[in-house]
Amino acid sequence: MMSAAAIAAEVRSGQRSARAFAEAAIAAIRAKDGAIGAVTRLLDERALAEADAVDAIVAAGRDPGPLAGVPYGVKDLFDVAGLPTTAGAGMRADATPARADAEAVVRMKAAGAVLIATLNMDEYAYGFVTVNAAYGTTRNPHDGARLCGGSSGGSAAAVAAGMLPLSLGSDTNGSIRIPAALTGLYGLKPTHGALPMAGVFPFVESFDDIGPFARSVEDLRLAWTALLNPPPGGGGLRVGRLDGWFRADPDPELLDGLDSLADALGGGPLVELPEVDRARSAAFVMTAAEGGALHLATLRARAMDYDPATRDRLLAGALLPAAHYVRAQRFRSWFAARAAELFERFDVLLAPAAPCVAPLIDDPTMMVGGEKVPARANIGLLTQPLSFIGLPVLTMPLLRPGKLPLGVQLVGKPGSEATLFAAAARLEAAGLTGFSEPRDVR
Amino acid sequence: MAEDRVGEALRISAAAIGLALPPETLEGVRANAVLLEAHAAKLADFPLPDDPHP
């Protein structure tokens, strides 16, 4: 699979047409997705029309945009004009079609990108596994017996499997960072509120964000730039490694790799963000409460039409006392202030993303505190406390060809995406992070 | 017996906000409610500097 940057360069120069790249992406999906299950709807007619429009701009000698002819897909919660926005719910398969594209899709189109497909997810984005009762299980391209992570699992698997060079997903508690980590991709959860949520089906509006997946820092930055023009980065980096909660359980190979990244950025002391365990609890409480509130009317009318795994959590959330939600909100303010104090001393903080390699689909468990626990409920234990306070996070794959992926989070203060991209580019150039081709794509 | 009381309490709470809990949901809702209470308890135990005095 060519990179997004290389595709755009060829299309912009007229060397190859956007239509040719769209056709190649459609063919790749038809050849590979049967074994992966990432794609829910192939938008071939729309894709070819968008590609032809890009080619017409090139032929007219005008600028087709920085993502000219780059095929991409979107998680099934972005509005696509003329289609129902399912949000991964079987009960929404016949929902009223969206009247317009989501704002993010509009911006990608303006940059020349070509929308090819919609992609699988956990129902209503409430999960970390992309095991969906209505639309099937999305498998990890590195090992088809393993989870690809979620809830943006289709977005990650489509890129890791080489069907698409870019995709968009959303992240509330780790739904970009967990699948990026488990499939060996780069993923960006931006500062809360930095990217437009118009036309995106919500989950927990206090910390929902959208962001891109890619195989390289350059491609990730291209997508980010298309979605929002960031200010240029620069200057020296003050790096810290998050200690305590963040280093208690992860795979030792992951911690060794993370330490090597810190060394490559000039070294970084271990630093403590206090009460991370409670921050995760507060994120759980707010997620359940806001999710339950969002779905209350539908739960009243048709609770049994939900995926059972989603339904029971939403029902419990709807029954949660308001006092718990208010307490979690107040704790959140306190915790955000502690993080802000840390960012007075550091520009970038390093932490593991998922604590382990992708769990098996048939035995979705992981080790926490020496005990085997369900991965579905726990794999986001290192991502939740960070998105909970709206921090931007760029997830990077450690470079380990032939092995299952392990991911690291680069965490910045709000608005510092340019700094994160600069640090990620240095680590990729040093050969410490990077995408490795899956061994299990058939 | 205690579990039955929890289930009944959940059903009553749900009914108060217009939700019916079919029998097949009770076990899952109860497990999730217990988990959420455990998380909420961790927050209740933590003193915040601006806590109002009762």
Side-chain angles (χ1 to χ4, degrees), chain A residues 126 245 275 277-282 284-285 288 296 299-300 303-304 309 311-313 315-321 324 327-328 330-331 334 338 377, chain B residues 10 13-15 17-22 24-29 32-33 35-52:
Chain A
Y126 205 167
W245 175 265
E275 303 297 340
D277 186 11
R278 283 191 169 89
R280 182 176 176 240
S281 287
F284 250 102
V285 167
L296 182 57
L299 287 167
R300 284 179 179 135
M304 298 311 287
R311 175 197 65 209
D312 295 349
R313 281 179 290 166
L315 284 168
L319 293 168
L320 198 68
H324 293 348
R327 186 79 188 161
R330 293 186 59 237
F331 179 85
W334 179 88
R338 302 292 80 73
Chain B
L10 283 171
S13 300
I17 58 168
L19 279 172
L21 293 185
E24 56 267 57
T25 68
L26 272 183
E27 187 180 337
V29 175
N32 280 287
L35 179 65
L36 285 169
E37 276 302 318
H39 283 304
K42 284 189 200 173
L43 300 176
D45 287 348
F46 184 70
L48 290 167
D50 56 349
D51 271 343

Side-chain angles (χ1 to χ4, degrees), chain A residues 2 60 74 80 98 116 153 188 228 235 255 283 309 325 348 358-360 379:
Chain A
M2 283 174 66
V74 293
V80 176
I116 302 287
L188 177 69
L228 172 78
L255 294 180
Y325 180 76
V348 170
L360 291 163
I379 200 150

Side-chain angles (χ1 to χ4, degrees), chain A residues 122-380:
Chain A
D122 289 286
E123 189 184 60
Y124 290 119
Y126 205 167
F128 285 124
V129 292
T130 314
V131 175
N132 186 302
Y135 302 104
T137 295
T138 302
R139 295 179 178 275
N140 192 318
H142 291 271
D143 180 345
R146 291 178 185 271
L147 296 167
C148 66
S151 62
S152 310
S155 300
V159 174
M163 294 186 261
L164 298 167
L166 286 180
S167 66
L168 302 185
S170 67
D171 187 313
T172 301
N173 284 302
S175 287
I176 288 174
R177 292 162 289 159
I178 294 299
L182 299 187
T183 62
L185 294 176
Y186 293 86
L188 177 69
K189 189 221 80 72
T191 304
H192 181 58
L195 292 181
M197 295 299 291
V200 178
F201 199 98
F203 173 29
V204 180
E205 292 185 8
S206 289
F207 32 95
D208 285 340
D209 284 296
I210 59 167
F213 289 90
R215 289 179 164 208
S216 67
V217 177
E218 183 182 22
D219 280 4
L220 195 73
R221 193 202 314 251
L222 269 176
W224 161 248
T225 307
L227 293 164
L228 172 78
N229 287 323
L237 274 182
R238 298 170 299 166
V239 177
R241 292 171 293 153
L242 285 172
D243 200 3
W245 175 265
F246 292 96
R247 293 179 74 95
D249 294 301
D251 187 318
E253 285 188 34
L254 176 50
L255 294 180
D256 288 347
L258 185 152
D259 292 345
S260 299
L261 303 187
D263 290 343
L265 293 173
L270 290 169
V271 295
E272 193 89 35
L273 185 57
E275 303 297 340
V276 182
D277 186 11
R278 283 191 169 89
R280 182 176 176 240
S281 287
F284 250 102
V285 167
M286 286 183 63
T287 298
E290 291 199 24
L294 180 70
H295 287 272
L296 182 57
T298 314
L299 287 167
R300 284 179 179 135
R302 43 191 305 197
M304 298 311 287
D305 289 344
Y306 283 80
D307 184 330
T310 314
R311 175 197 65 209
D312 295 349
R313 281 179 290 166
L314 289 175
L315 284 168
L319 293 168
L320 198 68
H324 293 348
Y325 180 76
V326 171
R327 186 79 188 161
Q329 282 275 31
R330 293 186 59 237
F331 179 85
R332 184 182 182 217
S333 299
W334 179 88
F335 186 64
R338 302 292 80 73
E341 288 168 1
L342 215 48
F343 282 114
E344 288 172 7
R345 294 187 287 132
F346 299 98
D347 301 306
V348 170
L349 298 172
L350 293 171
C356 55
V357 299
L360 291 163
I361 292 171
D362 291 338
D363 180 24
T365 56
M366 55 185 281
M367 300 300 290
V368 173
E371 290 183 22
K372 201 173 183 183
V373 299
R376 191 186 275 265
N378 290 289
I379 200 150

Side-chain angles (χ1 to χ4, degrees), chain A residues 372-398:
Chain A
K372 201 173 183 183
V373 299
R376 191 186 275 265
N378 290 289
I379 200 150
L381 86 173
L382 306 176
T383 54
Q384 280 174 291
L386 303 170
S387 40
F388 169 61
I389 48 174
L391 301 176
V393 185
L394 196 158
T395 301
M396 310 173 293
L398 292 176

